[in-house]
Amino acid sequence: VEGVYYELTELANIKPTDEVLYVAKVGEKYYAMSSDGAGSKGQPSAVEVSVVDNKITTDATNVQWNVAKLNDNIETLTFYSVGQSKWLYCTHDNNGQRLGTGTTATESNTFKVADNGYLFNNKQERTIGVYSANADWRSYSGVSSNIEDQTFGFYVKHSTLHIISVTPREHDF
């Protein structure tokens, strides 16, 4: 029997092939950033997950990312949706976080983790967090009251294999 869980991991230890959940803690709740652009304007929605002992064991459908670091530099991160050819990018507008392809998206698709712990878009200078009123991911020019008091983590997928041994019993037939 195989089981899957996601474990809190330092950004420096993430490989481009890892399946990663990017998670915000807002109050006592945890929200993973969706990788399908299901928000009302194409932004990532916030999917509530359960975190216990720095692990997520709940279903993680449509929230997995590959995180690429340009030249292994954690100041230039690109988030690719697992199994899709889309990446996360920002426009200069509030709520301007999107998933996309093409030239426009590649101009604004690099991020870093800022000193305050928030994900920051390098080109558009936007800070990303979970919008408290609608529980979706948004970007602002700074840490506005809509996304304040949040902490973030990267959770990497691991698989476990449980081997079940069966000992046959003798039967009288």
Side-chain angles (χ1 to χ4, degrees), residues 4 18 49 78 101:
V4 173
D18 285 338
V49 293
T78 302
T101 61

mmCIF file of all heavy atoms in Angstrom, residues 4 18 49 78 101:
data_model
loop_
_atom_site.group_PDB
_atom_site.id
_atom_site.type_symbol
_atom_site.label_atom_id
_atom_site.label_comp_id
_atom_site.label_asym_id
_atom_site.label_seq_id
_atom_site.Cartn_x
_atom_site.Cartn_y
_atom_site.Cartn_z
ATOM 1 N N VAL A 4 0.895 8.984 0.421
ATOM 2 C CA VAL A 4 1.546 10.220 0.001
ATOM 3 C C VAL A 4 1.358 11.256 1.088
ATOM 4 O O VAL A 4 0.285 11.368 1.685
ATOM 5 C CB VAL A 4 0.947 10.733 -1.328
ATOM 6 C CG1 VAL A 4 1.480 12.104 -1.689
ATOM 7 C CG2 VAL A 4 1.210 9.740 -2.452
ATOM 8 N N ASP A 18 10.681 18.219 -7.888
ATOM 9 C CA ASP A 18 9.836 17.991 -6.711
ATOM 10 C C ASP A 18 8.428 18.531 -6.958
ATOM 11 O O ASP A 18 8.257 19.579 -7.584
ATOM 12 C CB ASP A 18 10.404 18.693 -5.475
ATOM 13 C CG ASP A 18 11.619 17.999 -4.899
ATOM 14 O OD1 ASP A 18 11.807 16.798 -5.154
ATOM 15 O OD2 ASP A 18 12.397 18.679 -4.188
ATOM 16 N N VAL A 49 -5.984 23.172 3.623
ATOM 17 C CA VAL A 49 -5.335 21.890 3.889
ATOM 18 C C VAL A 49 -5.107 21.777 5.391
ATOM 19 O O VAL A 49 -5.125 22.764 6.111
ATOM 20 C CB VAL A 49 -3.993 21.751 3.121
ATOM 21 C CG1 VAL A 49 -4.216 21.679 1.622
ATOM 22 C CG2 VAL A 49 -3.024 22.866 3.480
ATOM 23 N N THR A 78 10.614 30.301 -10.334
ATOM 24 C CA THR A 78 9.482 30.223 -11.245
ATOM 25 C C THR A 78 8.633 29.040 -10.816
ATOM 26 O O THR A 78 9.149 27.943 -10.591
ATOM 27 C CB THR A 78 9.940 30.058 -12.713
ATOM 28 O OG1 THR A 78 10.787 31.156 -13.049
ATOM 29 C CG2 THR A 78 8.757 30.045 -13.662
ATOM 30 N N THR A 101 0.655 31.304 -20.047
ATOM 31 C CA THR A 101 1.721 30.934 -20.957
ATOM 32 C C THR A 101 1.997 32.142 -21.842
ATOM 33 O O THR A 101 1.255 33.117 -21.817
ATOM 34 C CB THR A 101 1.302 29.743 -21.842
ATOM 35 O OG1 THR A 101 0.164 30.142 -22.611
ATOM 36 C CG2 THR A 101 0.970 28.519 -21.027
#
